[in-house]
């Protein structure tokens, strides 16, 4: 088996779905630059995803003297049938000395090739509840009744999922629901940016915090036997699937058409905070030092961004959209340190014209 595949599988010792929750589910955006579209385009399609070629959002401009960083806000989910028009982004990347990826987290087991190979069987069943418990025993009765209805609607008569932990069942339901509503989790934006950087021979810098797991077998064993308070995550996900998919579709359309005003007006986090807390507050996470990895990854990104702004004449970067729009986000932190920030529509530019790459 390919060593890279083994490494990727071995690093899933805490479960791919849980890792996805902490890193990006459902975080902000993932796509690009261009002119703003009218609000009516999105409003009229709030229950239907846009399709065909779309410009994506404009780029934020962060500068220090003559040094400029153009930042693309990323989002999840995005319209599945959208074709992202990347002409402006490609031109910006081609003129940059560096492309900086968003904050990311990696789990790395401290073991050799054969150790990874023999670790894989222990991952089987990691999604299941400890002691063979079922969803019905772990979540409130009203939530379980709602689950049965939504499960039938989006998943079908899958009996195996009834043995999963609530957080994993929530991930599965959410993924199936957004797919049914014409959306996709990634939209391929980060992969497209990485490909464009490679095409133009521009260095791609990964702002990644790597958590080294000293005893991966013990970590898997601890995870599989440890309880997790993920009932709120489960309930909030049910809420999202029941009544918020229209708003999530509207948000995805706003990203696709470049409607920054509408993006500002729509909440970004959905059930994400409750699901992140379920992971980071669990006993196994604290044992592994997993509770503050998001902050550490953000710190690595900030250091890389400041170095790029000090070194490069021009840099292209990606950040979750919430980090661009939030008054407590990473861009706000750069602004507080004296960097100039201009939004694509000029709304943060203190009267200046909208930024153009």
């Amino acid at each position: 088996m390919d060593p890279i595949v083994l490494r990727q599988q071995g690093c899933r010792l805490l479960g791919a779905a849980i890792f996805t929750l902490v890193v990006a589910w459902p975080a902000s955006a993932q796509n690009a630059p261009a002119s703003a579209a009218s609000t009516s385009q999105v409003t009229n399609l709030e229950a239907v995803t846009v399709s065909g070629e779309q410009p994506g959002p404009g780029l934020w401009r962060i500068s220090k003297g003559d040094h400029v960083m153009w930042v693309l806000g990323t989002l999840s989910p995005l319209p599945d049938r959208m074709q992202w028009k990347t002409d402006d982004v490609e031109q910006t990347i081609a003129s940059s000395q560096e492309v900086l990826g968003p904050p990311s987290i990696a789990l790395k087991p401290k073991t050799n090739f054969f150790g990874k190979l023999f670790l894989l069987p222990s991952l089987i069943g990691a999604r299941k509840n400890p002691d063979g418990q079922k969803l019905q025993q772990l979540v409130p009765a009203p939530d379980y009744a709602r689950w049965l209805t939504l499960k039938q609607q989006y998943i079908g008569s899958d009996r195996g999922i009834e043995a999963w932990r609530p957080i994993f069942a929530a991930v599965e339901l959410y993924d199936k629901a957004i797919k049914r509503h014409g959306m996709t989790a990634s939209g391929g934006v980060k992969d497209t940016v990485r490909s464009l950087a490679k095409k133009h021979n521009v260095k791609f810098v990964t702002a990644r915090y790597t958590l080294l797991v000293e005893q991966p077998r013990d970590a898997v064993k601890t995870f599989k036997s440890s309880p997790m308070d993920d009932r709120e995550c489960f309930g909030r996900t049910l809420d999202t699937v029941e009544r918020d998919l229209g708003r999530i579709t509207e948000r995805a359309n706003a990203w696709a058409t470049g409607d920054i005003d509408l993006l500002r007006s729509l909440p970004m986090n959905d059930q994400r905070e409750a699901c992140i807390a379920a992971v980071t507050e669990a006993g196994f996470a604290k044992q592994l030092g997993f509770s503050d990895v998001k902050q550490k990854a953000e710190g690595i990104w900030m250091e890389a961004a400041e170095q790029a702004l000090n070194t490069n004449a021009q840099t292209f970067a990606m950040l979750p959209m919430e980090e661009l729009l939030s008054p407590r986000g990473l861009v706000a932190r750069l602004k507080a340190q004296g960097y100039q920030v201009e939004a694509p529509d000029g709304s943060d530019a203190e009267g200046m014209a909208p930024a153009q790459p």
Side-chain angles (χ1 to χ4, degrees):
M1 185 179 290
D2 189 325
I4 294 178
V5 174
L6 282 172
R7 178 170 59 84
Q8 290 172 337
Q9 291 176 313
C11 288
R12 294 171 59 193
L13 55 141
L14 296 182
I18 281 191
F19 180 65
T20 302
L21 282 169
V22 177
V23 179
W25 178 65
S28 299
Q30 285 170 352
N31 291 27
S35 58
S38 66
T39 305
S40 61
Q41 284 181 285
V42 176
T43 303
N44 293 336
L45 293 170
E46 61 182 47
V48 179
T49 54
V50 297
S51 60
E53 192 172 65
Q54 300 293 339
L59 298 176
W60 267 252
R61 184 181 191 273
I62 301 174
S63 61
K64 180 180 182 181
D66 295 333
H67 296 237
V68 178
M69 173 181 286
W70 296 99
V71 186
L72 170 66
T74 62
L75 188 69
S76 178
L78 289 175
D80 191 27
R81 296 185 178 181
M82 174 196 70
Q83 298 171 11
W84 179 31
K85 189 176 185 298
T86 60
D87 296 0
D88 292 341
V89 164
E90 180 170 3
Q91 182 179 353
T92 305
I93 289 174
S95 302
S96 299
Q97 291 77 58
E98 178 181 315
V99 172
L100 176 60
S104 62
I105 303 165
L107 298 177
K108 183 178 180 182
K110 189 177 180 181
T111 183
N112 59 26
F113 174 86
F114 291 103
K116 294 169 187 173
L117 178 62
F118 288 107
L119 173 65
L120 298 183
S122 66
L123 296 173
I124 298 174
R127 289 179 298 188
K128 293 184 178 180
N129 288 302
D131 303 322
Q133 292 179 301
K134 304 293 185 182
L135 269 176
Q136 188 173 11
Q137 299 171 268
L138 295 172
V139 301
D143 282 351
Y144 186 70
R146 290 196 296 155
W147 157 259
L148 289 178
T149 300
L150 294 170
K151 174 193 169 188
Q152 186 61 40
Q153 182 178 355
Y154 292 109
I155 299 175
S157 55
D158 182 348
R159 295 183 180 180
I161 198 171
E162 293 293 327
W164 291 11
R165 293 175 187 255
I167 195 169
F168 286 101
V171 171
E172 183 72 7
L173 176 65
Y174 179 82
D175 285 347
K176 288 288 194 296
I178 63 170
K179 184 177 181 180
R180 180 80 60 84
H181 284 257
M183 291 178 282
T184 179
S186 72
V189 175
K190 286 186 283 188
D191 288 342
T192 298
V193 168
R194 187 182 291 271
S195 295
L196 290 173
K198 183 177 181 180
K199 175 182 176 181
H200 294 282
N201 296 313
V202 179
K203 178 175 66 173
F204 190 99
V205 176
T206 302
R208 175 178 296 149
Y209 174 72
T210 300
L211 179 64
L212 185 65
V213 181
E214 295 284 345
Q215 300 293 333
R217 286 183 179 276
D218 291 344
V220 172
K221 188 180 298 184
T222 300
F223 169 68
K224 291 173 70 173
S225 63
S226 298
M228 184 188 303
D229 188 5
D230 48 3
R231 289 171 296 179
E232 183 179 357
C233 166
F234 185 78
R236 291 284 299 276
T237 303
L238 297 181
D239 294 341
T240 297
V241 174
E242 273 185 335
R243 58 175 180 257
D244 289 342
L245 287 175
R247 175 175 55 78
I248 291 173
T249 301
E250 188 178 24
R251 187 178 68 192
N253 289 343
W255 186 96
T257 59
D259 193 334
I260 301 300
D261 286 339
L262 185 55
L263 282 171
R264 288 181 182 280
S265 71
L266 295 170
M268 288 283 166
N269 286 334
D270 304 320
Q271 68 275 31
R272 180 172 179 250
E273 295 303 322
C275 294
I276 288 176
V279 178
T280 57
E281 295 304 315
F284 73 85
K286 292 180 178 178
Q287 280 183 262
L288 293 172
F290 202 60
S291 57
D292 59 350
V293 291
K294 184 174 182 289
Q295 290 76 14
K296 289 177 179 177
E298 289 174 350
I300 290 172
W301 189 91
M302 284 289 290
E303 290 180 12
E306 292 190 71
Q307 181 177 345
L309 280 162
N310 287 325
T311 304
N312 303 325
Q314 180 167 299
T315 304
F316 184 92
M318 290 183 286
L319 276 177
M321 187 63 77
E322 64 195 38
E323 298 295 345
L324 294 165
L325 299 179
S326 170
R328 297 179 298 276
L330 293 175
V331 168
R333 286 161 61 179
L334 287 171
K335 188 174 183 179
Q337 293 179 20
Y339 293 92
Q340 292 186 323
V341 176
E342 301 173 36
D345 60 357
S347 56
D348 279 347
E350 300 175 347
M352 297 178 67
Q356 296 294 332

